[in-house]
Amino acid sequence: MKATKWVASLVMGASLAGAAFAVSAQEQVIPSMVYRTGPYAPSGIPVADGFSDYINLINARDGGLNGVKLRVEECETQYNTERGVECYERLKAQGGTIFSPYSTGITYALIDRAAADKSVIFSMGYGRASATVGNIFPWVFTAPATYWGGASAGVQYFAKEVGGKDKLKGKKIAYVYIDIAYGKEPIPVFQNYAEEIGFKLELVPVPAPGLEQKSIWLQIRQMRPDFVYLQGWGAMNAVSLKEAAAVGFPREKMLGVWWSSQDSDVQAAGPAAKGYKGLSFHGASKDLGLLKDLKTHLVDKGKASNGGKHYGEIGYLRGAMNAMFTVEALRAAQEKYGKGKVMTGEQSRDGFEAINLTDDSIAKLGLKGFLQPIKMACDNHLGDGKIVVVQWTGDQWKNASDWILPENQKLWPLYLRDADAYAREKNIASRNCARS
């Protein structure tokens, strides 16, 4: 199917200037927008713990970033867009320059504000997929994966399971998703694949927060899909797994996006989760130098978040990975603008665009085999990251596939089309990245 046809079938989803930074010359404020309460807390807490612990490890082990202490400032959003905007304003006033909303809805709400304020929005594996296009979205980064890339990887994996894309023709895939912006984001890509390959796509929205799904899974039993792709959040994920077990749908035939594939999801589901598979933009191994350092400098000394309760979990590692990208962006910015200095929003942006994680640098970070090499640029805020399938064995996650590269030759025309529509709607000019 030609890229132009994909573009034609795309269904597009739907300020305050300059704050004065009140920070010490030797202290960089690191905003942490968390949700430790509410129905999505099971997913949010491990991520928040991992993020905080990684930043604190940089201080405890390295004395900060080239002498600059990093100070985590948390603000509770409860995964609520209005609260998220309030948190952004509060943390920006405290000197924050890099913000990770952990919410597609909050990310959408902050895109225009961030551009006006020259603040970085790092939506790692969520948010507006077309923000990948750095020419149009200079303040938003999506690395290392988007929900569109997740849909591409999921379809590729399903195709491999049945012996190739041609064998996927005539099969049925049910897309079960929480009925909010996050859940709706990859629908156009699934629709394009369904048209191209010839499988039947069943869209199954679940009203938020997704705590009642009995009738939905009875409906799925009647559908008799060959595969289920799950894009749930928080407590919804465990309910989906339990209800799938109740109607006899094989968990081995279920594949969840990365935010539906955390320890909190499968632990809450108990035996019903065994065999369940999920996508991840990082590996499942716990044999990492980073984890050893976190144990030595924080966990063993009683300084880990939540007493180290979520140490080593996938969500915890994902939060640490988010913090790692943040720190490496600041490190790259310091290389350009001066070591030992506090970075501004513009400098932080330039640092993100200079990130180039090679096999050697990933190993030095204590993440060998955990993350694939990734390089960002002015016009590419995604970095062409790869995705892996992990599977829950009943007591741990294990890699269940080789690394999968999303079919970017299909996705980039969609990114560009949606970004161009945004630029025309907002009357903004494309940045000249060649000159940058």
Side-chain angles (χ1 to χ4, degrees):
M1 188 177 188
K2 293 183 178 180
T4 53
K5 191 173 182 182
W6 272 55
V7 170
S9 64
L10 175 63
V11 180
M12 293 181 291
S15 337
L16 298 174
F21 295 155
V23 270
S24 160
Q26 295 300 316
E27 184 176 64
Q28 184 91 41
V29 172
I30 308 295
S32 181
M33 301 171 72
V34 304
Y35 34 98
R36 296 183 178 275
T37 61
Y40 307 109
S43 297
I45 292 172
V47 175
D49 287 354
F51 183 92
S52 179
D53 281 358
Y54 187 92
I55 298 298
N56 290 330
L57 172 66
I58 299 300
N59 289 329
R61 183 191 63 193
D62 305 337
L65 183 58
N66 295 316
V68 177
K69 290 290 184 181
L70 307 179
R71 175 161 62 88
V72 176
E73 285 292 338
E74 283 195 1
C75 187
E76 174 65 50
T77 71
Q78 292 187 345
Y79 199 75
N80 175 277
T81 298
E82 185 177 341
R83 281 176 171 265
V85 172
E86 291 172 356
C87 279
Y88 166 79
E89 294 294 345
R90 187 182 312 162
L91 295 169
K92 181 186 67 175
Q94 293 183 39
T97 62
I98 301 171
F99 300 83
S100 293
Y102 294 115
S103 159
T104 293
I106 298 174
T107 298
Y108 268 81
L110 293 180
I111 288 174
D112 291 346
R113 289 173 182 259
D117 298 338
K118 296 183 178 179
S119 299
V120 173
I121 301 298
F122 180 36
S123 52
M124 185 186 77
Y126 59 91
R128 183 169 188 147
S130 62
T132 287
V133 184
N135 313 63
I136 303 300
F137 297 93
W139 301 99
V140 188
F141 293 81
T142 58
T146 69
Y147 293 139
W148 294 5
S152 174
V155 170
Q156 290 182 68
Y157 182 73
F158 292 149
K160 188 174 181 180
E161 286 286 278
V162 297
K165 277 189 177 179
D166 58 322
K167 301 293 194 304
L168 201 56
K169 183 176 181 179
K171 300 291 185 182
K172 186 180 293 184
I173 298 175
Y175 176 49
V176 180
Y177 63 97
I178 189 166
D179 197 13
I180 57 177
Y182 150 63
K184 297 173 184 177
E185 185 75 15
I187 289 176
V189 175
F190 279 121
Q191 291 172 328
N192 286 337
Y193 269 117
E195 182 180 353
E196 175 190 354
I197 297 172
F199 63 80
K200 182 172 177 56
L201 176 67
E202 297 280 4
L203 298 179
V204 187
V206 178
L211 301 181
E212 176 50 57
Q213 299 180 48
K214 191 171 294 294
S215 62
I216 287 170
W217 283 90
L218 289 173
Q219 176 188 353
I220 292 171
R221 184 171 66 180
Q222 292 179 339
M223 287 179 187
R224 300 178 65 85
D226 295 280
F227 299 102
V228 165
Y229 187 101
L230 177 66
Q231 190 140 329
W233 193 222
M236 170 184 161
N237 295 322
V239 175
S240 293
L241 291 170
K242 289 179 179 178
E243 294 296 347
V247 300
F249 189 83
R251 266 68 72 217
E252 293 82 359
K253 297 293 185 181
M254 292 179 66
L255 181 66
V257 74
W258 35 87
W259 302 117
S260 296
S261 311
Q262 299 189 163
D263 292 70
S264 55
D265 303 319
V266 291
Q267 289 169 355
K274 188 174 181 180
Y276 170 63
K277 297 174 183 176
L279 297 176
S280 180
F281 41 74
H282 56 75
S285 173
K286 293 187 179 181
D287 184 21
L288 300 172
L290 172 62
L291 281 176
K292 294 172 184 175
D293 284 354
L294 285 163
K295 187 173 187 302
T296 298
H297 293 279
L298 296 181
V299 178
D300 290 348
K301 294 182 179 180
K303 296 181 179 180
S305 296
N306 265 326
K309 179 180 178 181
H310 299 290
Y311 164 80
E313 294 180 1
I314 270 198
Y316 179 93
L317 286 167
R318 197 161 290 155
M321 181 174 167
N322 191 300
M324 178 275 291
F325 272 108
T326 300
V327 171
E328 292 311 302
L330 291 170
R331 191 188 307 278
Q334 284 192 10
E335 288 292 330
K336 181 175 182 179
Y337 295 106
K339 293 182 179 179
K341 294 183 179 180
V342 173
M343 295 294 102
T344 66
E346 287 183 285
Q347 292 167 342
S348 298
R349 186 271 310 273
D350 292 349
F352 264 101
E353 292 183 342
I355 285 178
N356 181 16
L357 297 178
T358 64
D359 282 326
D360 286 344
S361 59
I362 289 170
K364 288 177 182 177
L365 290 168
L367 295 170
K368 184 177 181 179
F370 181 76
L371 174 67
Q372 292 289 287
I374 187 165
K375 181 179 181 180
M376 284 190 261
C378 170
D379 59 349
N380 183 347
H381 286 189
L382 172 64
D384 298 336
K386 295 181 180 179
I387 295 167
V388 67
V389 174
V390 296
Q391 186 170 28
W392 182 247
T393 65
D395 59 1
Q396 63 179 318
W397 292 99
K398 287 191 173 182
N399 285 12
S401 77
D402 295 328
W403 289 94
I404 303 169
L405 180 66
E407 294 186 298
N408 291 316
Q409 74 276 15
K410 300 178 186 294
L411 299 180
W412 264 96
L414 303 187
Y415 294 143
L416 292 168
R417 172 62 183 269
D418 193 52
D420 180 66
Y422 175 87
R424 284 187 279 107
E425 177 191 346
K426 301 293 183 179
N427 194 29
I428 58 177
S430 174
R431 186 165 53 136
N432 188 336
C433 280
R435 191 181 306 163
S436 299

